[in-house]
Every structure is written in structure tokens, then in C-alpha cells.
Amino acid sequence: MSTIKKVFFVVCSILMLGSCAPLRLPVIVKKAPVDMFKYAYITPTKELSSSTGSTYGGQYGIYGSSTTKSVNPSDVIAGILIQRGYVILPELNPKLAEEMLIVNYGESGKRNRGLGYTIEVTIQFISAKTYEIVCSCTAEGQGSTEADDIRQAIKRALDGLFAE
């Protein structure tokens, strides 16, 4: 085999190994059980849109396609919490503070992984009565777009929280 082929094979092997590295395990910090709460208020987030596309050339010209996806993190969190039996309230209600969680979302990192990258998110649960942290969960996701990354990371974080 020629030297160029050997170098190409080594470079491709390294790239393949890096892209196959698993996502980091979710990190869950529990200071109190979340199952003692019934209601949740989720801090509103903005919708994120992302797209992916490709182009190719043919005998008769250049062609292309693109896909646009969007995600609103608070909607994804609400959907998962609703499935878990929580009542999502549109505003903070002092009468229900003892049984209410305030849920905050944030993007907490980005990491190169193979030919792409992961997005890490952290979700924080705070007692509406004491304003103390009940728990937090952090996870990363990687999909074909940033919207997919975020959706996957949120799901992995909350699955990790409720699996314990």
C-alpha cells in the first residue's frame, strides 16, 4: 500500500473512533425527592430554529435540499413533566407554593465529538416555597441539527432524573 493510502487510512480511523465515543452520562444532583411535588412552573424559553442542507451537482446543474427544525426547550420539558403526572401552571401561585417546583433551563456547554459536536443542557428544579434547589440534571445530546441536540439532551437529562 502506498504511503498516501496508509496516512488516509490512519486519519479516517482516528475520525471514526472519535465520532463513536459515547455521550457522557447524565449528571443528577438530588437534594430532595421531586415526587413530593405536584405542580410545576416552567420558566419560558425562546424557540430555536436550526437547519441542515446539502448540495450536489449533476449533468444539468446544481441541486440542493435543506431541512429546518425548531425546538422550544420549555415545551419539551413541559411534555415530559406532564407525562410524569405534573400539572404545569402558567404562573406562580403562592397558594400552591408548598407543592410547586420552578423549573429553569439553560445550555451549559458544547463539546466537539468526531465530525460534529454535542450540546449540553442543565435543568434546575427549585422549591417555589423556599427558593432552594431541589435537584438539577445535566446531559448532552447530538443529532443532525442543534434542535435535535437540545431535544435529545433534555430527554436524557430528565430520563436520568426520573430513573433514580
Side-chain angles (χ1 to χ4, degrees):
M1 209 167 20
S2 73
T3 306
I4 293 174
K5 287 183 181 177
K6 288 179 184 177
V7 169
F8 180 74
F9 178 74
V10 169
V11 168
C12 287
S13 297
I14 291 170
L15 288 175
M16 294 296 277
L17 288 174
S19 65
C20 294
L23 293 172
R24 292 180 181 150
L25 292 174
V27 175
I28 311 301
V29 178
K30 271 191 178 180
K31 296 184 178 185
V34 291
D35 56 357
M36 61 187 252
F37 295 91
K38 183 178 177 181
Y39 305 99
Y41 168 76
I42 303 170
T43 307
T45 59
K46 293 183 180 178
E47 182 175 81
L48 170 91
S49 293
S50 57
S51 59
T52 182
S54 63
T55 59
Y56 56 93
Q59 181 177 356
Y60 300 106
I62 297 175
Y63 305 94
S65 65
S66 67
T67 303
T68 300
K69 295 181 180 179
S70 62
V71 64
N72 187 329
S74 61
D75 288 346
V76 176
I77 294 167
I80 294 170
L81 293 180
I82 289 168
Q83 282 182 329
R84 299 278 179 184
Y86 288 86
V87 176
I88 308 302
L89 299 176
E91 59 187 27
L92 290 172
N93 185 337
K95 294 177 185 174
L96 302 173
E98 192 151 329
E99 296 179 282
M100 184 185 297
L101 288 168
I102 300 170
V103 184
N104 295 317
Y105 161 87
E107 290 181 28
S108 50
K110 197 179 253 193
R111 176 175 70 100
N112 288 328
R113 182 173 170 253
L115 298 176
Y117 59 88
T118 65
I119 293 179
E120 180 185 81
V121 303
T122 299
I123 303 168
Q124 181 185 63
F125 294 81
I126 299 171
S127 166
K129 181 179 180 183
T130 63
Y131 292 105
E132 291 184 12
I133 295 175
V134 174
C135 65
S136 68
C137 47
T138 300
E140 61 183 10
Q142 183 175 19
S144 58
T145 65
E146 283 190 2
D148 291 336
D149 297 352
I150 291 168
R151 188 174 280 110
Q152 184 184 60
I154 291 169
K155 181 164 178 22
R156 290 183 73 239
L158 293 177
D159 284 350
L161 172 67
F162 291 113
E164 291 191 343

